[in-house]
Structures are given as structure tokens and as C-alpha cells.
Amino acid sequence: GYTFLDAGKPEQAILTFEASLNSNPENGWALYGLSKAYETLGQTEKTHEFEQRFKKTWHSNAVPLPIKQGSDLFISSLH
């Protein structure tokens, strides 16, 4: 999903992140990615929905995610 976001293909990123959520509905990486993909598309309601789900899910995860930093930094850290 993040590869698609990085390539400017948010629609494909959404499909990938949604498939991930089918396997693991509380996947914080996928929830965060969906919020960024919908943000790129200007879909504020969906952006907010997935940001809220991410925040609710991620609080118990031990790995910090740079939510306040730009998604570019986050995506580049995955390469």
C-alpha cells in the first residue's frame, strides 16, 4: 500500500490496505495508510474515520509511528 501511495496511486493503495484489514482488522499500518490515501484524494470523512480507528488501535502497539511527521518521511523509512 505504501508503495502505491509513494507512486501517487492512492486508489490502488486503498485496495491493498483494505485487503490487509480483511486479514487483520486492527492493523495499525493499514489504518494509517488508509487515512493518508483518503487524505490524498480529498475525502475528509474517510480520512477522519481511519485516523480515529488508527488512534484507537495503535495506542496499544509498542512500535511508535510518526503520525505528526509527514507521510513522505514515514514512507521513505520503509524503503
Side-chain angles (χ1 to χ4, degrees), residues 6-78:
D6 198 29
K9 299 178 179 182
E11 294 88 355
Q12 289 90 342
I14 289 168
L15 294 174
T16 303
F17 291 130
E18 287 177 343
S20 180
L21 289 181
N22 287 333
S23 299
N24 180 3
E26 295 187 4
N27 181 332
W29 298 101
L31 293 169
Y32 181 80
L34 279 166
S35 74
K36 293 297 149 190
Y38 282 116
E39 181 179 56
T40 299
L41 294 172
Q43 295 184 21
T44 55
E45 285 186 31
K46 286 284 199 178
T47 300
H48 182 70
E49 173 189 340
F50 285 103
E51 282 177 349
Q52 294 307 309
R53 284 182 61 189
F54 166 76
K55 288 176 185 176
K56 191 180 292 185
T57 300
W58 199 262
H59 78 294
S60 64
N61 197 309
V63 180
L65 186 68
I67 195 166
K68 299 264 185 215
Q69 299 171 1
S71 62
D72 292 340
L73 176 60
F74 174 65
I75 292 168
S76 68
S77 72
L78 298 175

